[in-house]
Amino acid sequence: MVGVSKEKKAQRRKHIGDTALRLFAERGFEAVTVNEIAEAAGVAKVTLFNYFPSKEALVLEGVEEDIAGIVAGRRRGQSVLGVLREHYLGFGARIEAEADIGELVSRMKVIVESPALIAAVQRIQYGQRAALAMVLDGRDTWHFPADLTADLMAAQITATIQLLQEAFFERLAGGMSVREAGESLRPDVDRAFDLLERGYGT
């Protein structure tokens, strides 16, 4: 792609991604081939792969959130759960400011209707959990057996975040505005992190 300006590359990338999402929404992820996407977008297959390394990346690239990075970058004296609570209390506001909501809802529907994409999301979530465990344990590489305490904490935190995100997107899909979904999520975020901080009790 020598000679193509940065702006042109961004436009072409968006065009390919938009074309793929439209086809997936119409026919389902599994039913659409990469060749069909390339043809509909008016690009060669090799060009498509220059922008997106896999078919799954056409939907999932950018979906992953760097939970480990949020924790690693917390302010001095701020707790792990404190920085994550703060981050997810503002989840709805960030989505409202940054995302195309119609596209986001369409993307989520494509994902939940595809076994292949659900499996890919689960692999991403496993990676998030492993990365968070490394940060919690002060490691810079993953190894087995890992520290059980760090892994248990990472598992609980990432599962909680996943559930909160699902609740937010379900509200969007159900017709709430982003602002309404974000505001209704805030008490859920507080309750979830209260439980993580204090435990469930018996």
Side-chain angles (χ1 to χ4, degrees):
M1 293 185 289
V2 176
V4 180
S5 71
K6 192 172 183 179
E7 183 179 353
K8 288 284 188 184
K9 287 181 181 179
Q11 290 172 350
R12 182 180 291 172
R13 190 179 194 284
K14 184 176 188 312
H15 174 63
I16 294 169
D18 288 348
T19 301
L21 187 59
R22 174 176 57 79
L23 293 174
F24 294 149
E26 290 171 355
R27 295 165 47 197
F29 179 79
E30 279 78 8
V32 180
T33 69
V34 171
N35 285 335
E36 288 173 322
I37 297 165
E39 183 178 352
V43 299
K45 184 177 177 180
V46 66
T47 300
L48 184 151
F49 281 126
N50 282 334
Y51 288 95
F52 297 93
S54 67
K55 183 181 173 184
E56 286 80 6
L58 286 157
V59 182
L60 298 178
E61 197 163 280
V63 168
E64 180 178 0
E65 190 158 34
D66 186 9
I67 299 171
I70 294 166
V71 170
R74 68 191 184 278
R75 300 185 299 273
R76 183 182 296 274
Q78 189 175 28
S79 70
V80 168
L81 294 179
V83 71
L84 290 172
R85 182 196 294 260
E86 181 181 278
H87 181 81
Y88 286 99
L89 281 170
F91 184 72
R94 284 192 305 279
I95 295 291
E96 184 176 24
E98 299 169 6
D100 178 326
I101 303 309
E103 177 188 310
L104 182 62
V105 171
S106 180
R107 190 180 300 274
M108 292 303 111
K109 287 181 177 178
V110 168
I111 292 170
V112 300
E113 291 171 1
S114 166
L117 289 175
I118 290 172
V121 168
Q122 289 171 340
R123 290 193 296 272
I124 289 171
Q125 291 167 342
Y126 179 85
Q128 289 175 316
R129 190 186 82 198
L132 179 58
M134 286 192 292
V135 170
L136 295 176
D137 195 37
R139 292 177 270 147
D140 55 11
T141 57
W142 189 87
H143 61 83
F144 184 84
D147 178 78
L148 182 60
T149 299
D151 280 352
L152 284 170
M153 289 173 62
Q156 291 179 60
I157 290 168
T158 53
T160 296
I161 289 170
Q162 178 187 343
L163 186 61
L164 290 169
Q165 290 172 330
E166 287 174 358
F168 177 81
F169 290 120
E170 283 172 6
R171 289 165 188 172
L172 282 185
M176 276 192 181
S177 70
V178 181
R179 184 162 299 179
E180 289 169 336
E183 286 302 313
S184 71
L185 188 71
R186 290 175 66 85
D188 295 342
V189 171
D190 276 329
R191 178 164 55 161
F193 280 94
D194 284 347
L195 287 169
L196 285 172
E197 287 174 348
R198 297 198 297 259
Y200 291 89
T202 54

